[in-house]
Amino acid sequence: EAQVTQNPRYLITVTGKKLTVTCSQNMNHEYMSWYRQDPGLGLRQIYYSMNVEVTDKGDVPEGYKVSRKEKRNFPLILESPSPNQTSLYFCASSLQGADYHEQYFGPGTRLTVT
Amino acid sequence: GQSLEQPSEVTAVEGAIVQINCTYQTSGFYGLSWYQQHDGGAPTFLSYNALDGLEETGRFSSFLSRSDSYGYLLLQELQMKDSASYFCAVRDMDDMRFGAGTRLTVKP
């Protein structure tokens, strides 16, 4: 089954404790992206990757890191989480080029930072 | 600045037709997409317009006017299961920008 998976689905952590949210897709997509969703703000792009070893900042990259060492994986790293990073996070993937617009989203990770 | 504007809420009755508008202002534009998100779920792709005009996919249609920086999603024969949030999104160079979403409530 074609899908994007994220782990963990739920996470409660404390300020400053480094964490990683994993994202993996099995569709051989070149493009991958991370979003955060907050009430009234829609989906805001954090980072995206056009292909292996190619990443770029989205609209809200501060406090986040990503890496793309393999085509299927795109982990999101919070080196020192803060309460304002409490949010719902989605990973998404898509083909490149003309098919770029149709993004497939993972189930989401609800993060709470206390 | 760069922005996408869409109504925050829309209410309609079962069987009716509803239109959700989206106006955008972005530095680049490659196309307008629409996504549906049910409560507790992930966004799912509905439609995409790269060129002016109407695209139809079953009960859903999407329209784009590039000269007006405007598009809309048209939902016909509304069903209770269409109650969800709907997001317009613009592909701007390599990144994607989403509107804040329109919450559609379908009443019996």
Side-chain angles (χ1 to χ4, degrees), chain A residues 6 13 16 27 29 37 46 50 65 78 90 107:
Chain A
Q6 295 178 227
T13 190
M27 295 169 279
H29 285 167
Q37 185 173 31
I46 303 171
M50 304 286 280
K65 285 177 57 178
L78 284 74
F90 287 102

Side-chain angles (χ1 to χ4, degrees), chain A residues 8-59:
Chain A
R9 294 290 311 281
Y10 302 90
L11 179 60
I12 300 174
T13 190
V14 296
T15 299
K17 186 177 181 180
K18 181 179 178 180
L19 67 91
T20 299
V21 184
T22 64
C23 173
S24 183
Q25 51 93 6
N26 62 1
M27 295 169 279
N28 202 35
H29 285 167
E30 296 86 1
Y31 185 92
M32 297 187 74
S33 180
W34 276 103
Y35 299 90
R36 61 177 289 173
Q37 185 173 31
D38 303 288
L41 297 178
L43 290 147
R44 292 182 292 167
Q45 193 172 44
I46 303 171
Y47 269 93
Y48 62 92
S49 169
M50 304 286 280
N51 215 324
V52 175
E53 302 292 1
V54 180
T55 62
D56 211 342
K57 297 177 180 179
D59 282 338

Side-chain angles (χ1 to χ4, degrees), chain A residues 83-110:
Chain A
N84 63 14
Q85 292 178 297
T86 292
S87 187
L88 178 59
Y89 291 86
F90 287 102
C91 179
S93 73
S94 71
L95 292 168
Q96 267 290 71
D99 293 320
Y100 166 15
H101 56 274
E102 184 172 355
Q103 296 203 16
Y104 295 80
F105 284 80
T109 295
R110 187 165 293 281

